[in-house]
Amino acid sequence: MAGKQYSYLLHKNDLPADVDLGPVVAIDCETMGLSHYRDRLCLVQLSDGNGVAHLVQLPPVAMGEGNGARTAPNLVKLLADPTKLKLFHFARFDIAALYKHFGVVTRPVYCTKIASRLARSFTDKHGLKDVCKDVLGVEVSKMQQSSDWGAVNLNDEQLRYAAADVYYLHDLKDKLDEILVREARMALVQACCQFLPERALLDLAGWQEDIFSH
Ligand code: MN
């Protein structure tokens, strides 16, 4: 966005205790793949929306719920903090990945993809790249989406890509909220976001289908 300087900081294992990300924190996750049972969580990106991304690189842990919690107490505390709103784009996946790794349910949350679906019902393009372009006029690269996030040394290209996934979520929320208020759809978004942690837990428990369908 105009006027903002963007940069990232890389941390190992946990967010440093003295990092305060404010009341609304953008979060994104990079994993080894799309299976919560097979693919571990590798990187968690966080931002307060002011242009700095904190990238937390996670060491491999044995698969199983909560095995990663011991080494990341600051991050775990933030995820569960009821006073901090966590912003995601497609929260459903990340909440499940974070639960598998840390054994903690992330809430409260706001999902810019759900918000976009409900605010921008004139389009079916709700991927982060499309929403950033259409709503903010910002180009976000998806070039590194399929790279080895488990690598011991992540390269600058990967880190810059990962950081960009949390730079714009605050600005997106502001713009989408304007439409949602205008169209009286905010209550629907809030109800959907409140349900998102349980939606992610249903995925992990084996109910990946739409349980509301006939
Ligand atoms: Mn990402």
Side-chain angles (χ1 to χ4, degrees), residues 23-45:
V24 183
V25 185
I27 304 183
D28 185 47
C29 296
E30 303 302 336
T31 63
M32 283 300 292
L34 296 178
S35 164
H36 293 305
Y37 301 97
R38 181 190 62 193
D39 300 318
R40 74 175 183 94
L41 181 60
C42 301
L43 189 72
V44 180
Q45 309 95 282

Side-chain angles (χ1 to χ4, degrees), residues 7-8 14 165 196 199:
S7 63
Y8 67 79
D14 196 6
D165 279 352
L196 264 168
R199 179 58 270 189

